[in-house]
Each structure stands twice: as C-alpha cells, then as structure tokens.
Amino acid sequence: MSLQVPLAERGDRELLAAHCAGDPDAFGELFRRHKDRMWAVALRTCRDPELAADAVQDGFISAFRRADSFRGDAQVTTWLHRIVVNACLDRLRRIKPTSELPEYDLADRRDAHSSTVVRLDVQEALGKIPEGQRLALALVDMEGLSVAEAAVALGVAEGTVKSRCARGRSALAELLRDQHGGAYLQGGA
C-alpha cells in the first residue's frame, strides 16, 4: 500500500499533471499557492483592482481549462504569468484607456509616510510609460522574474525584455526627476 503525498507538498508540475489526470483538488492547490502573486501582476498590469480581479479569474479559468497545453519548457509560474498577463491585456483592450489614477489628497494627511508618496508617484509614472515597458518592469523588477521567464510570459525575445526594461527605467527616472527635481534619484523623497 503506497501513501499519497499531500497536495501541499507536491511541486507545481506534479500538481498540474495530477489536475490533467483528473485529481479534483490539484488545481485548487495551484490556485491557493499562486493567486497572490498573479493578483500582484494583474494589478500592476491593469492598474485597476476590479479589472485585475476579473483578469486573474479569467486567467485561472483559462489555465484550468488549458492545463494540458502546458509543455513543460518553462516553470508553471511563468506559464501562469503569461496567461494572466494575456487576460489583463484582453480586459484592457475591451475598455477605454484611462491614464489617470484616482485622486489622493495627501496634502491633508500630514501623517502620510513618505514611502506611500513614493509608491504613488512611481505608480503614476508607470502609468505614463508604454505598456510593453510597464509589463517588462512589472515582471522583472517588481515580481522578480528572470529576463528569460519574463520573455516567456510576454511572448517576446529576451533582448526585447532587456531593452524594454532599460527604456522603461530610463523613462521612469526622467518622469520622477521632472516631477520632483531629482529628489528620488538623490535619495530623498
């Protein structure tokens, strides 16, 4: 009699294979394990919590249905990133583009911490750079994917990810410099 390894102790590939083989709980474990990271990617991509939530749902439904399309030439998380990013892009294409973030009246909040201001300024600046650069930066600099993993997730060459990241970082630095006279680049907020 063999003992079955608990779902929480199985690797992602093993869980995906179990799902494809008919295990009714395997995909739920993948979802539990990766939903927060996919939410972060979707939120950075869509910049709207409702759109991000819908895109994550769309992405995981798509992954659930197309699990047998996983070829195994990348990590399961990279495969999920690509599906969620594509779901985000599909959602964004269906709506009118908006370039403005919600208004935050930080002047009335004297207790607002400078790191919150920095995050809001960076988020606003991210909204002003081209989508390809924003997605590359979100995956590489914010989510910690390697350039190779980001390339797979975005469906582009590694060199494209590198150049988008470099151009995106340069554009962000310029936007933040223009907005704050170089304070971020000099270490002050």
Side-chain angles (χ1 to χ4, degrees):
M1 172 166 55
S2 65
L3 295 175
Q4 189 171 359
V5 177
L7 289 175
E9 296 177 17
R10 296 185 196 177
D12 290 348
R13 288 174 190 262
E14 190 178 355
L15 287 170
L16 201 55
H19 166 67
C20 290
D23 184 326
D25 301 316
F27 197 85
E29 176 61 21
L30 276 174
F31 175 77
R32 184 200 62 74
R33 194 177 287 179
H34 300 296
K35 67 180 167 41
D36 292 339
R37 189 170 185 191
M38 295 306 123
W39 163 255
V41 167
L43 190 57
R44 287 190 179 105
T45 304
C46 295
R47 298 176 320 211
D48 177 293
E50 288 182 34
L51 277 177
D54 290 343
V56 169
Q57 180 177 331
D58 292 349
F60 273 105
I61 289 171
S62 180
F64 181 89
R65 291 178 177 159
R66 298 182 320 149
D68 59 345
S69 73
F70 178 71
R71 294 187 312 259
D73 53 354
Q75 297 294 322
V76 171
T77 53
T78 303
W79 177 73
L80 287 172
H81 270 97
R82 182 175 189 152
I83 292 171
V84 169
V85 166
N86 285 337
C88 290
L89 296 176
D90 288 345
R91 287 269 172 186
L92 288 169
R93 285 183 194 113
R94 290 186 218 150
I95 62 167
K96 289 183 179 180
T98 59
S99 60
E100 296 299 315
L101 292 172
E103 289 292 323
Y104 293 96
D105 190 7
L106 293 175
D108 292 340
R109 295 184 49 116
R110 300 196 192 289
D111 62 337
H113 190 272
S114 64
S115 66
T116 302
V117 176
V118 170
R119 279 195 302 271
L120 291 173
D121 289 345
V122 170
Q123 183 180 6
E124 182 179 6
L126 276 170
K128 294 179 180 177
I129 65 174
E131 182 178 80
Q133 293 173 13
R134 183 175 62 252
L135 291 174
L137 287 174
L139 293 176
V140 174
D141 290 351
M142 297 172 189
E143 290 299 317
L145 267 65
S146 69
V147 169
E149 291 171 323
V152 170
L154 296 172
V156 298
E158 289 182 35
T160 302
V161 172
K162 289 178 185 178
S163 65
R164 286 179 181 176
C165 284
R167 287 193 311 266
R169 288 180 196 116
S170 177
L172 282 178
E174 189 65 31
L175 286 165
L176 293 171
R177 183 181 305 114
D178 289 348
Q179 187 174 4
H180 295 280
Y184 291 136
L185 302 177
Q186 297 167 3

Coordinates of all heavy atoms in Angstrom, one line a residue, residues 28-106:
G28 N -6.8 23.4 -7.4 CA -7.1 24.3 -6.3 C -5.9 24.6 -5.5 O -5.7 25.8 -5.0
E29 N -5.0 23.7 -5.3 CA -3.7 23.9 -4.6 C -2.9 24.9 -5.4 O -2.2 25.8 -4.8 CB -3.0 22.6 -4.3 CG -1.7 22.8 -3.7 CD -1.7 23.4 -2.3 OE1 -2.7 23.5 -1.6 OE2 -0.6 24.0 -1.9
L30 N -2.8 24.7 -6.7 CA -2.0 25.6 -7.5 C -2.6 27.1 -7.4 O -1.8 28.0 -7.3 CB -2.1 25.2 -9.0 CG -1.1 24.2 -9.5 CD1 -1.4 23.8 -10.9 CD2 0.3 24.7 -9.4
F31 N -3.9 27.2 -7.4 CA -4.5 28.5 -7.2 C -4.2 29.1 -5.9 O -3.8 30.2 -5.8 CB -6.1 28.4 -7.4 CG -6.8 29.6 -7.1 CD1 -6.8 30.7 -8.0 CD2 -7.4 29.8 -5.9 CE1 -7.5 31.9 -7.8 CE2 -8.1 31.0 -5.6 CZ -8.1 32.0 -6.6
R32 N -4.3 28.3 -4.8 CA -4.0 28.8 -3.5 C -2.6 29.2 -3.4 O -2.3 30.3 -2.9 CB -4.3 27.7 -2.5 CG -4.1 28.1 -1.0 CD -3.8 27.0 -0.1 NE -2.6 26.2 -0.3 CZ -1.4 26.6 -0.1 NH1 -1.1 27.8 0.4 NH2 -0.4 25.8 -0.4
R33 N -1.7 28.5 -4.0 CA -0.3 28.8 -4.0 C 0.1 30.0 -4.7 O 1.1 30.7 -4.3 CB 0.5 27.6 -4.5 CG 1.9 27.5 -4.3 CD 2.5 26.2 -4.8 NE 2.1 25.0 -4.0 CZ 2.4 23.8 -4.3 NH1 3.2 23.5 -5.3 NH2 2.1 22.8 -3.5
H34 N -0.5 30.3 -5.8 CA -0.1 31.4 -6.7 C -1.0 32.6 -6.9 O -0.7 33.5 -7.6 CB 0.3 30.8 -8.1 CG 1.4 29.8 -8.0 ND1 2.6 30.1 -7.6 CD2 1.3 28.4 -8.2 CE1 3.4 29.0 -7.6 NE2 2.6 28.0 -7.9
K35 N -2.2 32.5 -6.3 CA -3.2 33.6 -6.5 C -2.7 35.0 -6.1 O -2.9 35.9 -6.8 CB -4.5 33.3 -5.9 CG -4.5 33.3 -4.3 CD -5.8 32.9 -3.8 CE -5.9 32.6 -2.3 NZ -5.2 33.3 -1.3
D36 N -2.0 35.1 -5.0 CA -1.5 36.4 -4.6 C -0.5 37.0 -5.6 O -0.5 38.2 -5.9 CB -0.9 36.3 -3.2 CG -1.9 36.0 -2.1 OD1 -3.1 36.2 -2.4 OD2 -1.6 35.5 -1.0
R37 N 0.4 36.2 -6.0 CA 1.4 36.7 -7.0 C 0.8 37.1 -8.3 O 1.1 38.1 -8.9 CB 2.5 35.6 -7.2 CG 3.7 36.1 -8.0 CD 4.8 35.1 -8.0 NE 6.0 35.7 -8.6 CZ 7.0 35.0 -8.9 NH1 7.1 33.7 -8.6 NH2 8.0 35.5 -9.6
M38 N -0.2 36.3 -8.8 CA -0.9 36.6 -10.0 C -1.7 37.9 -9.8 O -1.8 38.7 -10.8 CB -1.8 35.4 -10.5 CG -1.0 34.2 -10.9 SD 0.3 34.4 -12.1 CE 1.7 33.8 -11.2
W39 N -2.3 38.0 -8.7 CA -3.0 39.3 -8.4 C -2.1 40.5 -8.5 O -2.5 41.5 -9.1 CB -3.7 39.2 -7.0 CG -4.1 40.5 -6.4 CD1 -3.5 41.2 -5.4 CD2 -5.2 41.3 -6.8 NE1 -4.1 42.4 -5.2 CE2 -5.2 42.5 -6.1 CE3 -6.2 41.1 -7.8 CZ2 -6.1 43.5 -6.2 CZ3 -7.1 42.2 -7.9 CH2 -7.1 43.3 -7.2
A40 N -0.9 40.4 -7.9 CA 0.1 41.5 -8.0 C 0.4 41.8 -9.4 O 0.5 43.0 -9.8 CB 1.3 41.1 -7.1
V41 N 0.6 40.8 -10.2 CA 1.0 41.0 -11.6 C -0.2 41.7 -12.3 O 0.0 42.7 -13.1 CB 1.3 39.7 -12.3 CG1 1.3 39.8 -13.8 CG2 2.6 39.1 -11.8
A42 N -1.4 41.2 -12.1 CA -2.6 41.8 -12.7 C -2.8 43.2 -12.3 O -3.2 44.0 -13.1 CB -3.8 40.9 -12.4
L43 N -2.6 43.5 -11.0 CA -2.9 44.8 -10.5 C -1.9 45.8 -11.2 O -2.2 46.9 -11.5 CB -2.8 44.9 -9.0 CG -3.2 46.2 -8.4 CD1 -4.6 46.5 -8.7 CD2 -3.1 46.0 -6.8
R44 N -0.6 45.4 -11.3 CA 0.4 46.2 -11.9 C 0.2 46.4 -13.4 O 0.5 47.4 -14.0 CB 1.8 45.7 -11.6 CG 2.2 45.9 -10.2 CD 3.7 45.5 -10.0 NE 4.1 45.8 -8.7 CZ 4.3 44.8 -7.8 NH1 4.1 43.5 -8.1 NH2 4.6 45.1 -6.6
T45 N -0.4 45.4 -14.0 CA -0.7 45.5 -15.4 C -1.9 46.3 -15.7 O -1.9 47.2 -16.6 CB -0.9 44.0 -16.0 OG1 0.3 43.2 -15.7 CG2 -1.1 44.1 -17.5
C46 N -3.0 46.1 -15.0 CA -4.3 46.8 -15.2 C -4.4 48.1 -14.5 O -5.1 49.0 -15.0 CB -5.4 45.9 -14.8 SG -5.7 44.4 -15.7
R47 N -3.7 48.2 -13.4 CA -3.8 49.4 -12.5 C -5.2 49.7 -12.1 O -5.5 50.9 -11.9 CB -3.2 50.6 -13.3 CG -1.7 50.4 -13.6 CD -1.2 51.6 -14.3 NE -2.2 52.0 -15.3 CZ -2.0 52.5 -16.5 NH1 -0.8 52.7 -16.9 NH2 -2.9 52.8 -17.3
D48 N -6.0 48.7 -12.0 CA -7.4 48.9 -11.6 C -7.8 47.6 -10.8 O -7.8 46.5 -11.4 CB -8.3 49.1 -12.8 CG -9.8 49.2 -12.4 OD1 -10.3 48.2 -11.9 OD2 -10.3 50.3 -12.5
P49 N -8.1 47.7 -9.5 CA -8.4 46.4 -8.8 C -9.5 45.6 -9.3 O -9.4 44.3 -9.3 CB -8.8 47.0 -7.4 CG -8.1 48.3 -7.3 CD -8.2 48.8 -8.7
E50 N -10.6 46.2 -9.8 CA -11.7 45.4 -10.4 C -11.3 44.7 -11.7 O -11.6 43.5 -11.9 CB -12.9 46.3 -10.7 CG -13.6 46.7 -9.4 CD -14.8 47.5 -9.6 OE1 -15.5 47.3 -10.7 OE2 -15.1 48.4 -8.8
L51 N -10.6 45.4 -12.6 CA -10.1 44.7 -13.8 C -9.1 43.6 -13.5 O -9.1 42.6 -14.1 CB -9.4 45.8 -14.7 CG -10.3 46.6 -15.6 CD1 -9.5 47.6 -16.4 CD2 -11.1 45.7 -16.5
A52 N -8.2 43.9 -12.5 CA -7.2 42.9 -12.1 C -7.9 41.7 -11.6 O -7.5 40.5 -11.9 CB -6.3 43.5 -11.0
A53 N -8.9 41.8 -10.7 CA -9.6 40.7 -10.2 C -10.3 39.9 -11.3 O -10.2 38.6 -11.3 CB -10.7 41.1 -9.1
D54 N -10.9 40.6 -12.2 CA -11.5 39.9 -13.3 C -10.5 39.1 -14.2 O -10.7 38.0 -14.6 CB -12.3 40.8 -14.2 CG -13.6 41.4 -13.5 OD1 -14.0 40.8 -12.5 OD2 -14.1 42.4 -14.0
A55 N -9.3 39.8 -14.4 CA -8.3 39.2 -15.2 C -7.7 38.0 -14.5 O -7.4 37.0 -15.2 CB -7.2 40.2 -15.5
V56 N -7.5 38.0 -13.2 CA -7.0 36.9 -12.5 C -8.0 35.7 -12.6 O -7.6 34.6 -12.9 CB -6.7 37.2 -11.0 CG1 -6.4 36.0 -10.2 CG2 -5.5 38.2 -10.9
Q57 N -9.2 36.0 -12.5 CA -10.3 35.0 -12.6 C -10.2 34.4 -14.0 O -10.2 33.2 -14.2 CB -11.6 35.6 -12.3 CG -12.7 34.5 -12.4 CD -14.1 35.1 -12.0 OE1 -14.2 36.0 -11.2 NE2 -15.2 34.6 -12.6
D58 N -10.2 35.3 -15.0 CA -10.2 34.8 -16.4 C -8.9 33.9 -16.6 O -9.0 32.9 -17.3 CB -10.1 36.0 -17.4 CG -11.4 36.8 -17.4 OD1 -12.4 36.4 -16.9 OD2 -11.3 37.9 -18.0
G59 N -7.8 34.4 -16.1 CA -6.5 33.7 -16.3 C -6.5 32.3 -15.7 O -6.1 31.3 -16.3
F60 N -7.0 32.2 -14.4 CA -7.0 30.9 -13.8 C -8.1 30.0 -14.4 O -7.8 28.8 -14.5 CB -7.3 31.0 -12.3 CG -6.0 31.2 -11.5 CD1 -5.6 32.4 -11.0 CD2 -5.1 30.1 -11.3 CE1 -4.4 32.6 -10.3 CE2 -3.9 30.3 -10.6 CZ -3.6 31.5 -10.1
I61 N -9.2 30.5 -14.9 CA -10.2 29.7 -15.6 C -9.5 29.1 -16.9 O -9.7 27.9 -17.2 CB -11.5 30.4 -15.9 CG1 -12.2 30.7 -14.6 CG2 -12.3 29.7 -16.9 CD1 -13.4 31.6 -14.7
S62 N -8.8 30.0 -17.6 CA -8.2 29.6 -18.8 C -7.1 28.5 -18.5 O -7.0 27.5 -19.2 CB -7.5 30.8 -19.5 OG -6.9 30.4 -20.7
A63 N -6.3 28.8 -17.5 CA -5.3 27.8 -17.1 C -5.9 26.4 -16.7 O -5.4 25.4 -17.1 CB -4.4 28.3 -16.0
F64 N -7.0 26.5 -16.0 CA -7.7 25.3 -15.6 C -8.2 24.5 -16.8 O -8.0 23.3 -16.9 CB -9.0 25.7 -14.7 CG -9.8 24.5 -14.2 CD1 -9.5 23.9 -13.0 CD2 -10.8 24.0 -15.0 CE1 -10.2 22.8 -12.6 CE2 -11.6 23.0 -14.5 CZ -11.3 22.3 -13.3
R65 N -8.7 25.2 -17.8 CA -9.3 24.6 -19.0 C -8.2 24.1 -19.9 O -8.3 23.1 -20.6 CB -10.2 25.5 -19.7 CG -11.5 25.8 -19.0 CD -12.3 26.7 -19.7 NE -13.6 26.9 -19.0 CZ -14.4 28.0 -19.2 NH1 -14.0 28.9 -20.1 NH2 -15.5 28.1 -18.5
R66 N -7.1 24.8 -20.0 CA -6.0 24.5 -20.9 C -4.7 23.9 -20.3 O -3.7 24.0 -20.8 CB -5.6 25.8 -21.7 CG -6.7 26.4 -22.5 CD -6.3 27.7 -23.2 NE -5.4 28.5 -22.4 CZ -4.4 29.3 -22.9 NH1 -4.2 29.3 -24.2 NH2 -3.6 30.0 -22.1
A67 N -4.9 23.3 -19.1 CA -3.8 22.8 -18.4 C -3.0 21.8 -19.3 O -1.8 21.7 -19.1 CB -4.2 22.1 -17.1
D68 N -3.7 21.1 -20.1 CA -3.0 20.1 -21.0 C -2.1 20.7 -22.0 O -1.3 20.1 -22.7 CB -4.0 19.1 -21.6 CG -5.0 19.8 -22.5 OD1 -5.2 21.0 -22.4 OD2 -5.7 19.1 -23.2
S69 N -2.2 22.1 -22.2 CA -1.4 22.8 -23.2 C 0.0 23.1 -22.6 O 0.9 23.6 -23.3 CB -2.1 24.0 -23.7 OG -2.1 25.1 -22.6
F70 N 0.2 22.9 -21.3 CA 1.5 23.2 -20.6 C 2.5 22.2 -21.2 O 2.3 21.0 -21.0 CB 1.3 23.1 -19.1 CG 2.6 23.3 -18.4 CD1 3.2 24.6 -18.3 CD2 3.3 22.2 -17.8 CE1 4.4 24.8 -17.7 CE2 4.5 22.4 -17.1 CZ 5.1 23.7 -17.1
R71 N 3.5 22.7 -21.8 CA 4.5 21.9 -22.5 C 5.7 21.5 -21.6 O 6.4 20.6 -21.9 CB 5.0 22.6 -23.7 CG 4.0 22.8 -24.8 CD 4.6 23.3 -26.1 NE 5.5 24.5 -25.8 CZ 5.2 25.7 -26.0 NH1 4.0 26.1 -26.4 NH2 6.1 26.7 -25.8
G72 N 5.8 22.2 -20.5 CA 6.9 21.9 -19.5 C 8.2 22.5 -19.9 O 9.2 22.2 -19.2
D73 N 8.3 23.4 -20.9 CA 9.6 24.0 -21.2 C 9.8 25.3 -20.4 O 10.8 26.0 -20.5 CB 9.6 24.4 -22.7 CG 8.5 25.2 -23.2 OD1 7.5 25.4 -22.4 OD2 8.5 25.6 -24.4
A74 N 8.9 25.6 -19.5 CA 9.1 26.8 -18.5 C 8.5 26.3 -17.2 O 7.9 25.3 -17.1 CB 8.4 28.0 -19.1
Q75 N 8.7 27.2 -16.2 CA 8.1 26.9 -14.9 C 6.6 27.1 -15.0 O 6.1 27.9 -15.8 CB 8.6 27.9 -13.8 CG 10.1 27.8 -13.6 CD 10.5 26.4 -12.9 OE1 9.7 25.9 -12.1 NE2 11.6 25.9 -13.4
V76 N 5.9 26.4 -14.1 CA 4.4 26.6 -14.1 C 4.0 28.0 -13.8 O 3.1 28.6 -14.4 CB 3.7 25.6 -13.1 CG1 2.3 25.9 -12.9 CG2 3.9 24.2 -13.5
T77 N 4.8 28.7 -12.9 CA 4.5 30.1 -12.6 C 4.7 31.0 -13.8 O 4.0 31.9 -14.0 CB 5.4 30.6 -11.4 OG1 6.8 30.3 -11.7 CG2 5.0 29.9 -10.1
T78 N 5.7 30.7 -14.6 CA 5.9 31.5 -15.8 C 4.7 31.3 -16.8 O 4.3 32.3 -17.4 CB 7.2 31.1 -16.5 OG1 8.3 31.2 -15.6 CG2 7.5 31.9 -17.7
W79 N 4.3 30.1 -16.9 CA 3.1 29.8 -17.8 C 1.9 30.6 -17.2 O 1.2 31.2 -18.0 CB 2.9 28.3 -17.8 CG 1.7 27.8 -18.5 CD1 1.6 27.7 -19.9 CD2 0.6 27.2 -17.9 NE1 0.4 27.1 -20.1 CE2 -0.3 26.8 -19.0 CE3 0.2 27.0 -16.6 CZ2 -1.5 26.2 -18.7 CZ3 -1.1 26.4 -16.4 CH2 -1.9 26.0 -17.5
L80 N 1.7 30.5 -15.9 CA 0.6 31.3 -15.3 C 0.7 32.8 -15.5 O -0.3 33.4 -15.8 CB 0.5 30.9 -13.8 CG -0.1 29.6 -13.4 CD1 0.1 29.3 -11.9 CD2 -1.5 29.4 -13.9
H81 N 1.9 33.3 -15.4 CA 2.1 34.7 -15.6 C 1.7 35.1 -17.0 O 1.0 36.1 -17.2 CB 3.6 35.1 -15.5 CG 4.0 35.5 -14.1 ND1 4.6 34.6 -13.2 CD2 3.9 36.7 -13.4 CE1 4.9 35.2 -12.1 NE2 4.5 36.5 -12.2
R82 N 2.1 34.3 -18.0 CA 1.7 34.6 -19.4 C 0.2 34.6 -19.5 O -0.4 35.5 -20.2 CB 2.4 33.6 -20.3 CG 2.1 34.0 -21.7 CD 2.8 33.1 -22.7 NE 2.6 33.6 -24.0 CZ 3.4 33.5 -25.0 NH1 4.5 32.8 -24.8 NH2 3.2 34.0 -26.2
I83 N -0.5 33.6 -19.0 CA -1.9 33.5 -19.1 C -2.6 34.7 -18.5 O -3.5 35.4 -19.0 CB -2.4 32.2 -18.6 CG1 -1.9 31.0 -19.4 CG2 -3.9 32.2 -18.4 CD1 -2.2 29.7 -18.9
V84 N -2.1 35.1 -17.3 CA -2.7 36.2 -16.5 C -2.4 37.5 -17.2 O -3.3 38.4 -17.4 CB -2.3 36.2 -15.1 CG1 -2.7 37.5 -14.4 CG2 -2.9 35.0 -14.3
V85 N -1.2 37.7 -17.7 CA -0.9 39.0 -18.4 C -1.8 39.1 -19.7 O -2.3 40.1 -20.0 CB 0.6 39.0 -18.8 CG1 0.9 40.1 -19.8 CG2 1.4 39.3 -17.5
N86 N -1.9 38.0 -20.4 CA -2.8 38.0 -21.6 C -4.2 38.3 -21.2 O -4.9 39.0 -22.0 CB -2.7 36.7 -22.4 CG -1.4 36.6 -23.1 OD1 -0.7 37.6 -23.5 ND2 -1.0 35.3 -23.4
A87 N -4.7 37.8 -20.1 CA -6.1 38.1 -19.7 C -6.2 39.5 -19.4 O -7.2 40.2 -19.7 CB -6.4 37.2 -18.5
C88 N -5.2 40.1 -18.7 CA -5.2 41.5 -18.4 C -5.2 42.4 -19.7 O -6.0 43.3 -19.8 CB -3.9 41.9 -17.7 SG -3.8 41.3 -16.0
L89 N -4.4 42.0 -20.7 CA -4.4 42.7 -21.9 C -5.7 42.6 -22.7 O -6.2 43.6 -23.2 CB -3.2 42.3 -22.8 CG -1.8 42.5 -22.2 CD1 -0.8 41.9 -23.2 CD2 -1.5 44.0 -22.0
D90 N -6.3 41.5 -22.6 CA -7.6 41.3 -23.2 C -8.7 42.2 -22.5 O -9.5 42.9 -23.2 CB -8.1 39.8 -23.1 CG -7.4 38.9 -24.0 OD1 -6.7 39.4 -25.0 OD2 -7.4 37.7 -23.8
R91 N -8.6 42.2 -21.2 CA -9.6 43.1 -20.5 C -9.3 44.6 -20.8 O -10.3 45.4 -21.0 CB -9.4 42.9 -19.0 CG -10.0 41.6 -18.5 CD -11.4 41.8 -18.1 NE -12.0 40.6 -17.8 CZ -13.3 40.4 -17.5 NH1 -14.1 41.5 -17.5 NH2 -13.8 39.3 -17.3
L92 N -8.0 45.0 -20.9 CA -7.7 46.4 -21.1 C -8.1 46.8 -22.6 O -8.5 47.9 -22.8 CB -6.2 46.6 -20.9 CG -5.7 46.6 -19.5 CD1 -4.2 46.6 -19.4 CD2 -6.3 47.8 -18.7
R93 N -8.0 45.9 -23.5 CA -8.4 46.2 -24.9 C -9.9 46.4 -25.0 O -10.4 47.1 -25.9 CB -8.0 45.1 -25.8 CG -6.5 45.1 -26.1 CD -6.1 44.0 -27.1 NE -4.7 43.8 -27.0 CZ -4.0 42.7 -26.6 NH1 -4.7 41.7 -26.2 NH2 -2.7 42.7 -26.6
R94 N -10.7 45.8 -24.1 CA -12.1 45.9 -24.2 C -12.7 47.2 -23.6 O -13.9 47.5 -23.7 CB -12.8 44.8 -23.4 CG -12.6 43.5 -24.1 CD -13.4 42.4 -23.3 NE -12.7 41.2 -23.3 CZ -12.7 40.3 -22.4 NH1 -13.4 40.4 -21.3 NH2 -12.0 39.2 -22.5
I95 N -11.9 48.0 -22.9 CA -12.3 49.2 -22.3 C -11.6 50.4 -22.9 O -10.6 50.3 -23.5 CB -12.1 49.2 -20.7 CG1 -10.6 49.1 -20.4 CG2 -12.9 48.1 -20.1 CD1 -10.3 49.4 -19.0
K96 N -12.2 51.6 -22.6 CA -11.5 52.8 -23.0 C -10.2 53.0 -22.1 O -10.3 52.8 -20.9 CB -12.4 54.0 -22.8 CG -13.5 54.1 -23.8 CD -14.3 55.4 -23.5 CE -15.4 55.5 -24.5 NZ -16.2 56.7 -24.3
P97 N -9.1 53.3 -22.7 CA -7.9 53.5 -21.9 C -8.1 54.8 -21.0 O -8.6 55.8 -21.4 CB -6.8 53.7 -22.9 CG -7.5 54.1 -24.2 CD -8.9 53.5 -24.1
T98 N -7.6 54.6 -19.7 CA -7.6 55.7 -18.8 C -6.2 55.9 -18.4 O -5.4 55.0 -18.1 CB -8.5 55.5 -17.6 OG1 -8.0 54.3 -16.9 CG2 -9.9 55.3 -18.0
S99 N -5.7 57.2 -18.3 CA -4.4 57.4 -17.9 C -4.3 58.0 -16.5 O -3.2 58.2 -16.0 CB -3.7 58.4 -18.9 OG -4.4 59.6 -19.0
E100 N -5.4 58.4 -16.0 CA -5.4 59.0 -14.6 C -5.6 58.0 -13.5 O -6.4 57.1 -13.6 CB -6.4 60.1 -14.6 CG -6.2 61.2 -15.5 CD -4.9 62.0 -15.3 OE1 -4.6 62.2 -14.1 OE2 -4.2 62.2 -16.3
L101 N -4.8 58.1 -12.5 CA -5.0 57.4 -11.3 C -6.0 58.1 -10.4 O -6.3 59.3 -10.6 CB -3.7 57.2 -10.5 CG -2.6 56.4 -11.2 CD1 -1.3 56.5 -10.4 CD2 -3.1 55.0 -11.2
P102 N -6.6 57.4 -9.4 CA -7.6 58.1 -8.5 C -6.8 59.2 -7.8 O -5.6 59.1 -7.6 CB -8.0 57.0 -7.5 CG -7.5 55.7 -8.1 CD -6.5 56.0 -9.1
E103 N -7.6 60.2 -7.5 CA -7.0 61.4 -6.8 C -6.7 61.0 -5.3 O -7.6 60.4 -4.6 CB -8.0 62.5 -6.8 CG -8.1 63.2 -8.1 CD -6.8 63.9 -8.6 OE1 -6.1 64.5 -7.7 OE2 -6.5 63.8 -9.8
Y104 N -5.5 61.3 -4.8 CA -5.2 61.1 -3.5 C -4.8 62.4 -2.9 O -3.9 63.1 -3.4 CB -4.0 60.1 -3.3 CG -4.3 58.7 -3.8 CD1 -4.0 58.3 -5.1 CD2 -4.8 57.8 -2.9 CE1 -4.2 57.0 -5.5 CE2 -5.1 56.5 -3.3 CZ -4.8 56.1 -4.6 OH -5.1 54.9 -5.0
D105 N -5.5 62.9 -1.9 CA -5.3 64.2 -1.3 C -4.3 64.0 -0.1 O -4.7 64.0 1.0 CB -6.6 64.9 -0.9 CG -6.3 66.3 -0.5 OD1 -5.2 66.8 -0.6 OD2 -7.3 66.9 0.0
L106 N -3.0 63.8 -0.4 CA -2.0 63.6 0.6 C -1.7 64.9 1.4 O -1.1 64.8 2.4 CB -0.8 63.0 0.0 CG -1.0 61.6 -0.6 CD1 0.3 61.1 -1.2 CD2 -1.4 60.6 0.5

